[in-house]
Amino acid sequence: MFAIGTADSNGKVTGKPEFKEADQDFKASTMRYNFDSKKGKITYVSSKEGEGYIHGETVKKDSSDNLYIRTR
């Protein structure tokens, strides 16, 4: 699966992809996810984790549910 937001006539991106897995919600610029391998890559992501938030430029998820987050 690949998802990306849509630009309006002014170039502003709206309808950014959102993904929910178990109790986590992710909002991002782009998302790629392979349902067979359970691996994914998300760019410019934000997600609420407990009382805090996760922000990353690139996030990769492996089949063991480990998240690898790259920030600037």
Side-chain angles (χ1 to χ4, degrees):
M1 180 254 336
F2 177 74
I4 190 167
T6 306
D8 64 14
S9 61
N10 294 324
K12 182 179 178 184
V13 177
T14 60
K16 291 184 178 180
E18 295 183 28
F19 182 71
K20 183 172 185 165
E21 184 177 55
D23 61 342
Q24 287 188 304
D25 292 321
F26 299 93
K27 295 179 183 178
S29 293
T30 64
M31 293 185 180
R32 294 181 188 274
Y33 189 76
N34 184 315
F35 288 97
D36 294 328
S37 68
K38 306 276 191 231
K39 293 180 181 179
K41 182 176 179 181
I42 306 170
T43 58
Y44 300 101
V45 65
S46 66
S47 177
K48 185 169 183 184
E49 183 71 30
E51 295 295 317
Y53 288 89
I54 296 172
H55 295 277
E57 182 177 326
T58 303
V59 178
K60 292 183 181 180
K61 177 188 166 296
D62 66 18
S63 58
S64 299
D65 288 334
N66 296 309
L67 294 176
Y68 303 92
I69 302 170
R70 177 191 299 170
T71 59
R72 287 195 174 204

